[in-house]
């Protein structure tokens, strides 16, 4: 009698329990994979945003280093409102942070060249911005500009 019972296979109840367990495991695996893809997408977006900010800050740094005359802030002063200088091409360049009342703060670049103005956002979600100048020697133009910039990720 035990030989016949072992040969008959699984009961309907056992089969339903096995299918239920398989469904739970499959659902859990799907949820984990979809969550992992969402996290990967967010990381890729944040990495791309950080890279874009680095490129823009590098461009800004190069432009400041090539500048010929600092207009604002004056030597030995600092400013949280912006930085104005004349670049190597003779264009007046202004980097400034937008008014917080108009939404999230952004770092803007404005170029004035022979009556024409162009304006673009360099960094979004600026938390903190300060430009400080240090004189090379008394009576000489500033030799160093220090920028302190902190931007959020959202």
């Amino acid at each position: 009698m035990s030989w016949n019972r072992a040969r008959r296979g699984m009961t309907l109840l056992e089969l339903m329990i096995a299918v239920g367990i398989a469904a739970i495991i499959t659902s859990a695996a799907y949820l984990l994979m979809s969550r992992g893809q969402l996290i990967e997408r967010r990381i890729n977006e944040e990495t791309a945003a950080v890279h874009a900010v680095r490129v823009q800050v590098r461009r800004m740094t190069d432009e400041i280093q090539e500048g010929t005359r600092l207009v604002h802030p004056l030597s030995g002063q600092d400013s949280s409102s912006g930085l104005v200088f004349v670049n190597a091409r003779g264009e007046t360049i202004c980097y400034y942070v937008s008014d917080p009342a108009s939404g999230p703060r952004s770092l803007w670049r404005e170029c004035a060249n022979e009556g024409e103005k162009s304006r673009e956002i360099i960094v979004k979600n600026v938390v903190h911005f300060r430009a400080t100048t240090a004189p090379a020697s008394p009576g000489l133009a500033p030799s160093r500009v220090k920028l302190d910039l902190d931007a959020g990720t959202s």
Side-chain angles (χ1 to χ4, degrees):
M1 184 161 197
S2 63
W3 180 79
N4 284 339
R5 182 165 172 89
R7 193 159 178 209
R8 284 193 335 207
M10 298 181 359
T11 65
L12 181 60
L13 179 61
E14 291 170 333
L15 185 60
M16 288 175 59
I17 290 172
V19 168
I21 291 172
I24 290 171
I25 292 172
T26 304
S27 296
Y30 174 77
L31 288 173
L32 287 173
M33 286 182 59
S34 65
R35 185 74 166 152
Q37 288 175 341
L38 177 66
I39 290 170
E40 179 185 18
R41 191 174 326 122
R42 284 183 183 166
I43 288 172
N44 288 341
E45 288 171 0
E46 286 187 17
T47 301
V50 167
H51 177 70
V53 167
R54 283 185 178 165
V55 167
Q56 291 294 354
V57 169
R58 183 70 203 159
R59 173 184 165 211
M60 183 173 76
T61 303
D62 290 346
E63 191 170 46
I64 292 169
Q65 287 175 345
E66 294 169 359
T68 58
R69 184 170 54 96
L70 186 64
V71 178
H72 176 78
L74 299 176
S75 179
Q77 297 180 346
D78 66 344
S79 170
S80 59
S81 61
L83 176 68
V84 182
F85 63 96
V86 177
N87 69 9
R89 293 181 298 282
E91 302 166 323
T92 300
I93 305 296
C94 178
Y95 286 101
Y96 64 94
V97 177
S98 59
D99 182 16
S102 63
R105 294 170 38 148
S106 297
L107 179 63
W108 288 82
R109 178 190 184 271
E110 190 170 296
C111 174
N113 184 18
E114 299 177 11
E116 297 179 26
K117 280 190 176 183
S118 65
R119 185 177 170 202
E120 64 180 311
I121 293 178
I122 299 298
V123 179
K124 295 180 180 178
N125 300 316
V126 172
V127 177
H128 174 76
F129 175 82
R130 181 165 304 283
T132 307
T133 61
S137 299
L140 295 178
S143 63
R144 197 172 54 212
V145 174
K146 178 183 174 193
L147 293 177
D148 186 14
L149 175 66
D150 186 16
T153 57
S154 55

